[in-house]
Amino acid sequence: MPLDLTPLSADHFDDWLEATRARLVTLRQESGMFVGEDAGSHVDAVLGDLLSAGHETETSLILTIGEEGTRIGTVWLAANSGVLIIVDLAFAIDPTARQLDELLDELRSLARRQHVGRLSIALHSSDIAGRAFVEGRGFEVASIQMLLEPLPSRAPRASGGLVVTPMTPERFTSFAAASEAAFAEDLVSSGRYSAEDAVVESHRQMELELPEGIDSDGQELFTAHVDGAEVGVLWIGVRRRGGRPHAFILDIEIASDQRRKGYGRDLMLAAEHEAARLGADSIGLHVFGFNTSAITLYESLGYRRVEERFLRTV
């Protein structure tokens, strides 16, 4: 008998919300993406944004997953930019492979009825059940959040000759334009956005991070040189994590004609050095799934995956 997906009733919403909040907080804490009360604050912001009208929020759909009268779990859905987003997938029992296959079939059918071309789900490293759902079912990694904690006590490699200095206002102008354009291209390549939506999203994030340009608070921008010639750029945003400074690499780039010379590793080590100088004892970054060479580099330096977003064509 096929699975039965039915809208969550209003009288069960409060219980679902309480359990979902607790689950999402735990996943963030267990993965290490957030520390202590930071996890709760982040989850509350997400819930407030995506469920602004509670059970009556028109942009969210919460479904109960059942089979022959047995409640298997719930799935919370939202749609954006041609993508059906699985915001949360929670199981009350350990689902069988057949049940996971049928759940995917039901979600694909729902997406097609809504004229949506892709499914998306973000999973923390500790979400074993969610990972069982995506494994072997055609999902691909679209993007990864990575974390290095604590910062290792290793200095920048002196033998590489790479020197990092604060970016000048003159260099910032061309950097900002190139960074915004490159990020838009990466959003399209990741499969998460259309070309038009990617331009809008990239500009939105640039304005959010750099409202005052190079003088924006909490933003550290650098150029990297070897023998006086620029070979790359580095942009670090200073966040708070567990009440302490946390460095987040917003952009790191080696010039195309300077790659495969070890400068990428040198610049990552320089980023660690700058993070420590800023008082941080952890550093994070975001990388797109198609950038396999960068992922290999980061993992070789000890970065671990704390959250991955998966995409699947319907």
Side-chain angles (χ1 to χ4, degrees):
M1 185 175 180
L3 296 182
D4 182 27
L5 272 59
T6 57
L8 182 75
S9 63
D11 56 341
H12 287 110
F13 176 77
D14 288 344
D15 288 340
W16 171 85
L17 183 62
E18 181 180 358
T20 298
R21 182 188 186 278
R23 163 188 158 76
L24 296 179
V25 168
T26 297
L27 286 172
R28 282 157 174 74
Q29 291 174 336
E30 289 179 347
S31 71
M33 189 170 183
F34 292 91
V35 177
E37 295 181 358
D38 289 356
S41 298
H42 180 263
V43 170
D44 288 339
V46 170
L47 294 174
D49 182 42
L50 297 182
L51 293 171
S52 57
H55 182 266
E56 304 306 316
T57 304
E58 294 182 355
T59 53
S60 281
L61 176 62
I62 305 162
L63 301 171
T64 297
I65 310 166
E67 183 178 47
E68 296 183 337
T70 299
R71 181 176 176 274
I72 294 174
T74 57
V75 58
W76 173 15
L77 305 171
N80 184 46
S81 299
V83 179
L84 182 63
I85 302 168
I86 304 172
V87 183
D88 184 58
L89 177 61
F91 295 105
I93 63 172
D94 290 332
T96 65
R98 175 190 59 80
Q99 289 170 330
L100 294 176
D101 288 340
E102 292 185 6
L103 174 60
L104 176 59
D105 288 342
E106 290 291 335
L107 294 176
R108 291 176 65 197
S109 296
L110 176 61
R112 286 193 290 266
R113 291 197 298 272
Q114 295 184 353
H115 306 290
V116 172
R118 290 164 293 169
L119 292 174
S120 170
I121 182 170
L123 297 172
H124 289 85
S125 58
S126 53
D127 193 346
I128 298 173
R131 291 179 175 278
F133 171 66
V134 302
E135 187 175 351
R137 292 183 173 82
F139 286 87
E140 296 183 353
V141 178
S143 60
I144 309 169
Q145 294 280 353
M146 307 187 82
L147 175 70
L148 179 64
E149 182 187 35
L151 281 178
S153 57
R154 54 192 178 200
R157 195 176 70 176
S159 61
L162 183 140
V163 178
V164 170
T165 57
M167 186 177 292
T168 65
E170 293 77 17
R171 179 66 178 89
F172 173 77
T173 300
S174 59
F175 161 77
S179 181
E180 183 175 322
F183 186 58
E185 291 178 4
D186 287 346
L187 288 174
V188 174
S189 297
S190 73
R192 291 174 56 188
Y193 288 83
S194 66
E196 182 179 274
D197 290 340
V199 170
V200 173
E201 177 62 14
S202 183
H203 183 70
R204 183 191 72 81
Q205 293 200 29
M206 185 67 74
E207 290 289 311
L208 180 67
E209 296 290 350
L210 296 169
E212 303 298 328
I214 197 172
D215 296 320
S216 300
D217 289 340
Q219 307 293 341
E220 302 282 336
L221 297 109
F222 307 90
T223 49
H225 296 82
V226 174
D227 296 331
E230 182 179 318
V231 300
V233 292
L234 171 65
W235 174 14
I236 297 175
V238 182
R239 311 283 196 251
R240 302 292 294 181
R241 183 171 181 272
R244 291 186 51 78
H246 169 68
F248 194 87
I249 298 175
L250 289 159
D251 197 1
I252 185 167
E253 184 76 19
I254 298 296
S256 58
D257 62 344
Q258 298 293 333
R259 293 171 186 168
R260 302 186 184 281
K261 298 180 180 181
Y263 296 151
R265 178 176 289 271
D266 289 350
L267 193 50
M268 288 296 296
L269 295 178
E272 292 178 18
H273 178 76
E274 294 298 331
R277 179 184 63 82
L278 295 165
D281 54 12
S282 60
I283 186 168
L285 57 83
H286 168 277
V287 60
F288 289 104
F290 61 79
N291 197 349
T292 54
S293 60
I295 295 169
T296 299
L297 170 61
Y298 303 151
E299 291 183 330
S300 75
L301 291 169
Y303 284 77
R304 63 184 183 86
R305 307 181 188 206
V306 292
E307 184 189 60
E308 295 173 274
R309 180 167 294 280
F310 295 86
L311 276 177
R312 189 195 193 284
T313 301
V314 171

